[in-house]
Amino acid sequence: GVILYDAMGKRSLIELPSTGMLRSEVLTLDEERLLVVSDQQLTAVDTATGQKLWVVQLGLKANYGHRTFPVISNSSKTVYVWRLHAGEAQVVAIEMETGNVSDVLVKDGRKGIFSSPVISPDEKHLAYMVDDDPWRKCGYWRIISTEDHSLKHIVDVRPEVTTASFSPDSQSFWLRS
């Protein structure tokens, strides 16, 4: 399995089953929870006790190149992450306290996931990158409303490898390649 170790507290925090590859870890802003993404699942861990709080199945495999890094809202109440469900890629909103999926923001028939979602500071917009033809070396970012899931903007990018963020006031979407 995979053991996460708290070097500052000099203790093992949690051991996860060997489901393949550990993808990422993200500490919540309040430092009370650690979110761990393995190939198949997202696990929330209490940083004080090492106890698993909840597990959400993602259905992702490392060999497909999925970008599964979770994104935590500024309020630390919601986590946004990709999952494969019923044959489609989805960006879901998960309640931090319970691990319940509270909303499915994106449903996409492509099985490839090309970026972690990006949430605006005011949580009114979500952006994600897709690429219909990876051989073209370009892609595009879609920006949607989190309230009604409507498409607000499409931004074509070349080269396809970019990082993105919203401005602190949520009024601009910044790209860097």
Side-chain angles (χ1 to χ4, degrees):
V2 176
I3 298 174
L4 295 177
Y5 185 75
D6 176 0
M8 299 299 284
K10 297 183 178 156
R11 64 189 172 98
S12 295
L13 189 58
I14 189 169
E15 184 171 353
L16 300 171
S18 235
T19 58
M21 186 173 147
L22 182 67
R23 302 296 300 199
S24 66
E25 312 85 42
V26 177
L27 188 64
T28 58
L29 296 176
D30 59 12
E31 298 184 0
E32 292 180 6
R33 289 178 192 85
L34 180 69
L35 299 179
V36 181
V37 177
S38 63
D39 283 348
Q40 298 291 323
Q41 62 192 24
L42 172 65
T43 304
V45 179
D46 183 299
T47 56
T49 65
Q51 177 184 359
K52 283 185 191 178
L53 300 172
W54 48 261
V55 175
V56 173
Q57 297 303 315
L58 299 178
L60 302 170
K61 301 234 185 236
N63 59 340
Y64 295 135
H66 297 134
R67 312 296 191 263
T68 57
F69 307 110
V71 176
I72 301 169
S73 66
N74 280 346
S75 65
S76 290
K77 293 181 179 179
T78 308
V79 59
Y80 300 89
V81 69
W82 282 100
R83 73 174 181 183
L84 287 180
H85 182 74
E88 68 184 357
Q90 298 178 344
V91 175
V92 293
I94 299 170
E95 295 174 3
M96 190 67 77
E97 284 298 315
T98 63
N100 293 330
V101 174
S102 59
D103 198 1
V104 178
L105 295 133
V106 174
K107 292 181 179 182
D108 196 305
R110 289 174 278 252
K111 289 190 171 52
I113 297 166
F114 301 99
S115 75
S116 293
V118 179
I119 190 72
S120 63
D122 64 7
E123 296 181 52
K124 292 183 179 180
H125 295 95
L126 180 124
Y128 63 98
M129 186 178 170
V130 295
D131 187 350
D132 290 324
D133 181 4
W135 301 109
R136 288 186 2 218
K137 301 288 185 205
C138 65
Y140 54 95
W141 283 88
R142 296 173 62 95
I143 303 170
I144 64 165
S145 164
T146 57
E147 294 169 2
D148 64 8
H149 308 172
S150 63
L151 180 64
K152 297 299 180 184
H153 301 285
I154 296 177
V155 181
D156 188 4
V157 291
R158 296 170 207 279
E160 72 174 319
V161 179
T162 58
T163 57
S165 62
F166 284 92
S167 62
D169 65 2
S170 299
Q171 299 302 307
S172 298
F173 182 64
W174 297 334
L175 292 172
R176 183 185 65 165
S177 60

